[in-house]
């Protein structure tokens, strides 16, 4: 495992998307500050310099490419395990790529890939985990380790925990021994809630249920059961 750390980057994911041809499998990039940190749908990620874990992991192993659809939720489970080991309560996984604590977002996960033609070359796992940040913009429903525990924690300690858990969980996934879906459904933030989803260009109010073995989310719209494979859920 190669570790690269920067004081400031555009974003850790963006760095790996450019440099991946020259870097090894399991290169880990961290930064104290991201000038253009973002999540899904190009949303910005607010993080104060040096206070949070901003990390991206480069995956170039074809074995992992075969299970790419599982990675976002699997990383959510890894974050769940790290946070519970750190003593946080009410940690929940929000399909498909967030982790919440006490109804506030503590972690965002961004999975991106690079291909040449129709051949996948690299997968990049990006994580933004709020650790020591004490305040957030009023319009952002966010929390942090500090806000939950009223104390700070070393970012490097959490990074090492994350990488250790991630390595173990991906190894289990390769050998069909991962129980990540069981944990997702036991701590499914969306289960039993209502939310708006887009279906065929139409905004629909859906009842939200459990996650399937193909990582899709079971929903109910107009008394019809459907599977949501890739979408955003806006809670009512």
């Amino acid at each position: 495992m190669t570790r690269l750390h920067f004081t400031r980057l555009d974003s850790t994911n963006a760095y790996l998307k450019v440099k991946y041809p020259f870097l090894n499998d399991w290169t880990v990039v961290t930064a104290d500050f991201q000038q253009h940190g973002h999540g899904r749908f190009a949303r910005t990620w607010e993080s104060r310099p040096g206070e949070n874990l901003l990390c991206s992991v480069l995956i170039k192993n074809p074995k992992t490419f075969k299970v790419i659809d599982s990675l976002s939720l699997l990383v959510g489970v890894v974050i769940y395990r790290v946070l519970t080991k750190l003593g946080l309560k009410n940690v929940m996984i929000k399909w498909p790529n967030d982790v919440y604590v006490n109804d506030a977002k503590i972690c965002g996960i961004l999975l991106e890939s690079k291909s040449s033609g129709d051949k996948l070359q690299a997968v990049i796992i990006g994580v933004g985990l709020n650790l020591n940040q004490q305040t957030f913009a009023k319009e952002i429903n966010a929390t942090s380790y500090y806000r939950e525990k009223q104390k700070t924690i070393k970012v490097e300690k959490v990074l090492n925990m994350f990488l250790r858990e991630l390595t173990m969980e991906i190894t289990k996934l390769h050998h069909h021994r991962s129980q990540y879906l069981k944990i997702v459904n036991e701590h499914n933030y969306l289960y039993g809630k209502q939310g708006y989803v887009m279906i065929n260009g139409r905004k629909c109010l859906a009842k939200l249920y459990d996650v399937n073995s193909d990582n899709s989310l079971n929903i109910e719209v107009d008394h019809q059961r459907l599977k949501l494979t890739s979408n955003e859920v806006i809670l009512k």
Side-chain angles (χ1 to χ4, degrees):
M1 186 179 291
T2 304
R3 300 268 290 270
L4 302 174
H5 180 75
F6 298 87
T7 302
R8 180 183 294 262
L9 274 180
D10 184 46
S11 83
T12 54
N13 265 34
Y15 178 89
L16 286 177
K17 285 168 71 175
V18 173
K19 300 291 187 179
Y20 79 92
F22 316 106
L23 299 172
N24 295 326
D25 185 32
W26 280 92
T27 295
V28 179
V29 176
T30 55
D32 292 332
F33 180 70
Q34 295 183 134
Q35 292 170 280
H36 300 101
H38 66 282
R40 295 177 82 217
F41 309 109
R43 290 197 181 94
T44 58
W45 180 264
E46 178 191 348
S47 181
R48 294 182 179 173
E51 295 187 352
N52 302 316
L53 175 60
L54 308 173
C55 168
S56 294
V57 181
L58 176 65
I59 303 294
K60 300 175 83 171
N61 187 342
K63 282 186 179 180
T64 310
F65 297 166
K66 293 178 182 178
V67 291
I68 187 173
D69 291 341
S70 302
L71 288 182
S72 185
L73 288 173
L74 181 140
V75 176
V77 168
V78 168
I79 295 295
Y80 163 84
R81 285 182 170 151
V82 169
L83 294 178
T84 53
K85 286 181 178 180
L86 291 173
L88 271 64
K89 307 295 184 183
N90 301 317
V91 182
M92 305 292 282
I93 299 162
K94 181 177 180 286
W95 183 95
N97 65 328
D98 292 327
V99 179
Y100 275 53
V101 174
N102 291 321
D103 288 321
K105 184 173 176 178
I106 196 168
C107 179
I109 299 156
L110 179 63
L111 210 68
E112 297 186 279
S113 61
K114 294 295 291 185
S115 299
S116 178
D118 59 355
K119 187 175 181 180
L120 190 59
Q121 300 287 326
V123 173
I124 299 162
I125 299 170
V127 168
L129 176 59
N130 296 330
L131 294 177
N132 298 316
Q133 189 160 328
Q134 298 183 27
T135 60
F136 297 86
K138 290 182 179 179
E139 67 272 14
I140 298 175
N141 179 33
T143 189
S144 65
Y145 175 85
Y146 180 89
R147 293 187 72 162
E148 299 299 321
K149 302 291 285 184
Q150 296 301 303
K151 61 182 180 180
T152 60
I153 192 169
K154 291 184 178 180
V155 176
E156 183 72 13
K157 173 183 176 179
V158 180
L159 172 63
N160 289 333
M161 291 177 67
F162 168 71
L163 293 175
R164 184 164 56 249
E165 293 284 346
L166 182 64
T167 303
M168 290 191 296
E169 201 59 44
I170 288 181
T171 300
K172 289 179 185 178
L173 193 63
H174 288 168
H175 293 91
H176 310 288
R177 292 189 290 107
S178 174
Q179 298 293 312
Y180 79 95
L181 272 177
K182 180 175 183 291
I183 297 171
V184 167
N185 281 315
E186 287 174 349
H187 305 278
N188 180 356
Y189 183 72
L190 295 180
Y191 189 88
K193 292 182 170 69
Q194 289 186 314
Y196 292 100
V197 300
M198 295 298 295
I199 299 176
N200 298 324
R202 182 169 69 97
K203 186 178 181 181
C204 302
L205 181 62
K207 293 181 180 179
L208 309 170
Y209 295 101
D210 53 345
V211 178
N212 299 299
S213 59
D214 63 356
N215 302 289
S216 62
L217 179 70
N218 284 318
I219 66 172
E220 183 180 305
V221 177
D222 298 330
H223 305 290
Q224 182 181 2
R225 284 288 187 128
L226 302 170
K227 287 184 177 183
L228 203 61
T229 56
S230 179
N231 209 315
E232 181 184 21
V233 176
I234 301 174
L235 291 177
K236 184 178 178 183

